[in-house]
Amino acid sequence: GIQVEQSPPDLILQEGANSTLRCNFSDSVNNLQWFHQNPWGQLINLFYIPSGTKQNGRLSATTVATERYSLLYISSSQTTDSGVYFCAVADTGGFKTIFGAGTRLFVKA
Amino acid sequence: KAGVTQTPRYLIKTRGQQVTLSCSPISGHRSVSWYQQTPGQGLQFLFEYFSETQRNKGNFPGRFSGRQFSNSRSEMNVSTLELGDSALYLCASSPGYEQFFGPGTRLTVL
């Protein structure tokens, strides 16, 4: 099955810093999503991005499907950005979603 | 539009019991997926339903089962609970490929 690797596993930033989170996947995928999990466990949709580049405020994401990776950029980080960021992909059938292990981000004030 | 709802939000059971969790998808979404999240195993796919049919399932024992009703609401059942079943169970609904998650049900097995 598809393998999804996220890096780095942990990241500590000073408020205002920028960061790049990476997601590598082992096979062709039908879709790719980035999520932020808040301290209460809620998974919040950040991007649905099977290919290309999208931006939403301080966040942007790029997926290069042919090279099997996606990047999530966080600029001018804030303490509220803290939490776990997950990348999730679906196999080519599209009915089974595999999550990476996540990147745990802590932003210090 | 209302989001995905899951009930109950918290549940405490003892080993050997069974449990049923419920998920109501976003209106118009016909696909519902279930996931188990534990500190050791991360987020793992349980199964996915579309129009009352299970289209895929993950690598979980037969104690884990699910179903979907004609109104797209879904339930999952875990029989003969084990301590290792303690987890956050998340449900997601989808209109196609993009998934939207509910708040989860936190199950504790004592």
Side-chain angles (χ1 to χ4, degrees):
Chain A
I2 296 175
Q3 306 295 316
V4 181
E5 292 184 358
Q6 290 187 243
S7 60
D10 298 281
L11 188 58
I12 301 175
L13 297 176
Q14 194 67 44
E15 197 170 28
N18 303 328
S19 62
T20 301
L21 281 57
R22 187 176 180 100
C23 172
N24 292 332
F25 43 96
S26 61
D27 206 344
S28 299
V29 297
N30 258 348
N31 65 45
L32 188 145
Q33 285 186 255
W34 283 98
F35 297 93
H36 176 215
Q37 189 168 41
N38 66 21
W40 297 271
Q42 176 77 54
L43 280 168
I44 300 163
N45 289 40
L46 297 177
F47 295 101
Y48 170 71
I49 186 166
S51 64
T53 298
K54 290 185 177 180
Q55 180 157 5
N56 184 3
R58 297 182 295 104
L59 303 181
S60 64
T62 295
T63 297
V64 184
T66 53
E67 297 186 22
R68 299 179 184 170
Y69 74 88
S70 183
L71 302 174
L72 176 69
Y73 305 96
I74 304 174
S75 65
S76 304
S77 57
Q78 301 175 357
T79 56
T80 52
D81 294 332
S82 296
V84 184
Y85 290 80
F86 288 102
C87 163
V89 304
D91 61 15
T92 50
F95 309 143
K96 182 175 182 178
T97 298
I98 307 300
F99 276 78
T103 291
R104 186 173 301 275
L105 173 65
F106 179 67
V107 181
K108 299 187 294 184
Chain B
K1 199 181 257 191
V4 179
T5 58
Q6 292 187 244
T7 57
R9 294 292 313 279
Y10 302 91
L11 203 50
I12 300 175
K13 292 285 189 179
T14 57
R15 277 181 300 175
Q17 287 186 311
Q18 74 165 12
V19 67
T20 299
L21 311 181
S22 180
C23 172
S24 292
I26 293 170
S27 177
H29 290 190
R30 295 167 65 187
S31 168
V32 174
S33 299
W34 288 89
Y35 299 84
Q36 180 196 65
Q37 186 176 26
T38 60
Q41 299 297 318
L43 270 155
Q44 293 187 287
F45 172 81
L46 279 158
F47 22 67
E48 188 264 356
Y49 288 89
F50 180 87
S51 292
E52 303 178 66
T53 299
Q54 186 182 92
R55 294 196 295 191
N56 210 333
K57 64 177 296 189
N59 298 324
F60 279 83
R63 301 185 297 107
F64 291 81
S65 63
R67 59 178 176 170
Q68 186 181 34
F69 303 95
S70 58
N71 61 358
S72 294
R73 191 178 69 86
S74 178
E75 289 181 347
M76 67 162 284
N77 183 274
V78 188
S79 62
T80 319
L81 284 166
E82 300 177 359
L83 295 180
D85 297 333
S86 294
L88 179 66
Y89 290 89
L90 291 161
C91 163
S93 77
S94 175
Y97 288 118
E98 186 174 7
Q99 295 191 66
F100 299 85
F101 281 80
T105 294
R106 193 167 295 277
L107 171 65
T108 301
V109 182
L110 302 176

